Each structure stands twice: as structure tokens, then as C-alpha cells.
């Protein structure tokens, strides 16, 4: 059996302690930093990690490929667990409107927002949308992100949402093995004007389409925007129960603008993640802490919209499993640089260094149901991110500078 040895990394952050603690209540040692490190792996799994000088001799006696990684840093593969990157048009003028005093909700109520992107998306063909999505995924990957979750949700008709879920499926095939794509169905993103209620739209479009795509077995997750003027408790329950029939894992946009008790609802269904959580209060926080549901925080969105941020420190202290993602989309966060977003968020959230790295590796992978990656420990998948940097500290230090090696 042939295997590879990466030798002489300046530093490897294994996150072994974080993996052992399931990504909760982390302290500095859980980063598992090894200087002058080596990693040995085959195509399926990691076989050994440690100081280069301690490589077991039996490995060196076999057939292997050796690669010198001097001057490079390695972390578990960085994962962007929340993006909406299939869309047409742009909403640059909405950002300017917000600078000039309008709120996201006001812009949406006056015909902007998600429904504006629906028009831009409806105007493009399947091949145009695939081309744009491919370029956007590659741009995210360029910062060192190896797994990207992609949500549908700007088509908002049966036909266009069907097409978009298939575009994401095509994207998965086009980008494999360089990028691992997770296909999330989010037709329940906004209610198009021609429907009198979210219930009507769920009944006529979302649920029948979920049945069709569920039978085609191309979906990895479902998601829904649980928010006033978008989708209700009843809509969430209808979607989640239907998804469970198809054995599709659940995710939810929860408590983004108001404390709708969305985090609590997500945990009742054992959702993989509840995302946003800007307005979640104590009861939601405890529900998350006592569940397997990952709290996916999207600091770029709070910054982009000029909203108060999620109470990350309280979540971390309560033992919530916290991930950070970009939320890359045309309206509420048009930023595709996850490492920069996380670097800015950590001091804002008062996260320590291991909490930051765990949030974009292990916990982000777990937020997508990926349990066999996210740490550099024996037996897990050999999915890594490399940076050209003298130390891990340098990667988050230079905001916006791309250190990733592709
Ligand atoms: O995650 N909150 C709902 N969906 C997106 C925003 C989409 C948009 O404004 O286009 C989000 O922030
Ligand atoms: Fe989102």
C-alpha cells in the first residue's frame, strides 16, 4: 500500500484535543500545535502525525512519496458551511441604501432583497448560472476552503428551484475532487409575490419539489428561513417532517432578525445546525448547549447589515458547538473570504485561537454532517488546508491577505 509523508511543516495545528472534546469548551492545548511536524496518510485516511524527528522507522522502510513542506503551516481542511452562491444579478445598490439609512427589512419590503435576486436569477440560463457558481466556488477555494455548502433559494418557482438544485449537483461533479460540495435545498428562502401566504408556497412548490428531488437523491441537506414575513413554525415543521421521510438532514436560518425561538425549534428536530442566531436569547442558548445542533455564526452578515452580532462568547461558555461560515450571498454578505471573516470575528466575539480554528474546520464540517474530517488525527480523512506562512499566527494576523496554497 503506498502512502505519502509531508515533512518539515513549520507548524501543524491538529485540533486533536478539540476533536476529543467534540468541539466544545476548548482551551489553548486543544489546538494541538506541533512544530517541525510531519503527516503520514494514504488516500483514505491519516496514518500518523507528530514531530518530524519522531517518524516511526517502519514507515520509512516502506514505499512512500515524500514531500517537503518547509515554511508551510497545515490545519484540518477549512470548510465554508453556509453559502448561497447560485444567483444572478447583484445588489450593490442595496448596500449603498443601507449606508444611507435604510434597513435590510425596509429594502426587502419595498421589493428588494431576496425577491430582487430572484429576478436576476430567473433571467439567467442553467449554463450561465453554473458558470457563475463555478467561478464563485473556485474563488472561495482560493482562500484555502476545501468543502463548500451551497444552498438553492433564488429561483423560487418549482422549475427554477429544480434547475438550481441540479446546478449544485453539477457543480459537485465538476469540482470533485478539488472541492467537496454539499447540496442544500432552500426553496423556502422567501415567498414569491404571487402566493398569498408562506403556507400556499410550501404546499404548491416547496414540499412537492422536495419529494421530487428527494426521490432523485441529489440533496445533502434542507434549510429554511424561519423569520417574520418569511417562514413560520408550521412551515418549518412541514419541511422538516417531509425531509425526514427522505432521510435528508436538516438546517435552519434561525433568529436572524428577531428572537423567534428558532434555535429551540431546530434542536427539537436534531438539526445539524441553526444558523445566524443574532437575536437568540438565553433559552435558545441552553437548548443549543444541550443538543448536537451546531450554532453556525455568520459574522460577515452582522457586519454587512450593520446589526448587533450573535452572543458568541455566551454560547461558547455554555458549551455550545460553534461554527463560523461566510454566508456568501448577493444581499446580506457579499464576501467570499472566510479566513478574513473569521480573523475579524475572533476578537469581536472574544474567541480564543482554538475556538476560531475549530469553528471553520471541525465544527463547520460537523454542521454539514461530515464526522470523519475536521482534525488531523489517525483514522480521519486526509483533508487538509495549507498556508505559506511561518506560523499559524500569521494566517489570521494579515486580514484579507491570502496565504493559502492551492
Ligand atoms: O443568510 N437570511 C436569509 N438568507 C440570506 C440572505 C439572502 C439575501 O439577502 O439575499 C442570509 O442572510
Ligand atoms: Fe444564509
Amino acid at each position: 500500500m503506498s502512502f505519502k509523508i509531508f515533512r518539515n511543516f513549520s507548524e501543524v495545528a491538529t485540533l486533536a484535543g478539540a476533536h476529543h472534546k467534540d468541539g466544545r469548551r476548548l482551551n489553548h492545548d486543544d489546538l494541538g500545535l506541533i512544530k517541525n511536524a510531519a503527516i503520514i496518510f494514504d488516500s483514505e485516511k491519516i496514518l500518523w502525525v507528530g514531530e518530524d524527528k519522531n517518524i516511526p522507522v517502519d514507515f520509512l522502510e516502506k514505499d512512500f512519496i515524500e514531500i517537503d513542506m518547509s515554511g508551510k503551516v497545515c490545519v484540518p481542511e477549512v470548510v465554508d458551511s453556509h453559502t448561497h452562491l447560485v444567483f444572478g444579478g447583484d445588489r450593490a445598490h442595496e448596500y449603498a441604501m443601507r449606508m444611507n439609512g435604510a434597513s435590510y427589512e425596509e429594502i426587502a419590503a419595498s421589493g428588494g432583497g431576496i425577491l430582487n435576486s430572484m429576478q436576476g436569477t430567473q433571467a439567467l440560463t442553467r449554463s450561465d448560472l453554473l458558470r457563475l457558481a463555478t467561478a464563485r466556488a473556485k474563488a472561495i477555494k482560493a482562500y484555502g476552503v476545501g468543502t463548500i455548502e451551497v444552498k438553492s433559494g433564488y429561483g423560487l418557482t418549482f422549475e427554477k428551484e429544480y434547475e438550481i438544485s441540479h446546478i449544485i449537483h453539477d457543480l459537485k461533479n465538476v469540482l470533485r475532487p478539488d472541492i467537496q460540495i454539499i447540496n442544500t435545498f432552500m426553496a423556502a428562502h422567501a415567498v414569491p409575490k404571487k402566493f398569498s401566504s408562506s403556507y400556499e408556497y410550501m404546499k404548491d412548490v416547496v414540499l412537492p419539489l422536495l419529494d421530487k428531488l428527494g426521490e432523485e437523491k441529489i440533496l445533502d441537506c434542507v434549510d429554511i428561513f424561519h423569520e417574520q414575513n418569511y417562514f413560520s413554525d408550521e412551515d418549518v415543521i412541514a419541511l422538516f417532517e417531509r425531509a425526514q421521510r427522505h432521510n435528508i438532514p436538516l438546517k435552519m436560518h434561525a433568529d436572524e432578525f428577531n428572537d423567534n425561538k428558532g434555535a429551540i425549534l431546530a434542536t427539537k428536530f436534531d438539526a445539524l445546525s441553526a444558523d445566524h442566531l443574532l437575536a437568540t436569547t438565553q433559552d435558545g442558548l441552553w437548548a443549543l448547549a444541550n443538543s448536537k445542533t451546531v450554532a453556525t455564526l455568520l459574522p460577515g452578515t452582522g457586519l454587512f447589515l450593520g446589526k448587533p452580532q450573535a452572543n458568541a462568547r455566551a454560547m461558547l461558555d455554555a458549551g455550545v458547538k460553534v461554527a463560523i461560515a461566510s454566508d456568501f450571498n448577493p444581499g446580506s454578505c457579499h464576501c467570499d473570504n472566510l479566513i478574513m471573516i473569521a480573523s475579524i470575528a475572533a476578537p469581536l466575539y472574544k474567541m480564543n485561537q482554538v475556538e476560531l480554528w475549530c469553528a471553520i474546520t471541525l465544527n463547520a464540517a460537523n454542521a454539514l454532517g461530515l464526522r470523519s474530517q475536521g482534525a488531523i488525527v489517525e483514522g480521519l480523512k486526509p483533508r487538509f488546508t495549507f498556508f505559506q506562512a511561518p506560523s499559524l499566527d500569521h494566517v489570521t494576523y494579515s486580514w484579507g491577505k491570502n496565504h493559502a496554497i492551492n
Side-chain angles (χ1 to χ4, degrees), residues 9 53 62 66 72 79 110 149 220 229 279 300 307 311 322 345 362 368 377 397:
F9 281 109
K53 65 177 170 34
K62 293 179 192 147
E66 182 178 291
K72 298 177 175 57
V79 171
S110 65
E149 186 250 20
D220 299 310
N229 300 323
K307 298 233 177 225
N311 196 350
V322 172
L362 179 74
L368 300 176
V377 299
Y397 166 60

Side-chain angles (χ1 to χ4, degrees), residues 82 84 91 104 114 154 189 225 253 256 276 327 329 331-332:
H82 183 139
H84 308 247
R91 309 220 311 264
Y104 181 89
I114 295 168
Y154 289 111
H189 195 195
F225 189 12
H253 281 58
E256 182 173 358
H276 284 288
D327 195 21
N329 74 72
S332 67

Side-chain angles (χ1 to χ4, degrees), residues 8-13 33-37 69-75 353 357 386-398 401-405:
N8 302 311
F9 281 109
S10 52
E11 280 184 340
V12 169
L33 212 55
I34 306 173
K35 289 189 188 302
N36 303 317
M69 299 300 252
S70 303
K72 298 177 175 57
V73 169
C74 179
V75 298
Q353 193 178 18
W357 283 104
F386 308 119
F387 299 107
Q388 189 71 47
S391 74
L392 186 68
D393 299 350
H394 284 81
V395 179
T396 46
Y397 166 60
S398 332
K401 175 170 174 178
N402 188 7
H403 296 270
I405 303 167

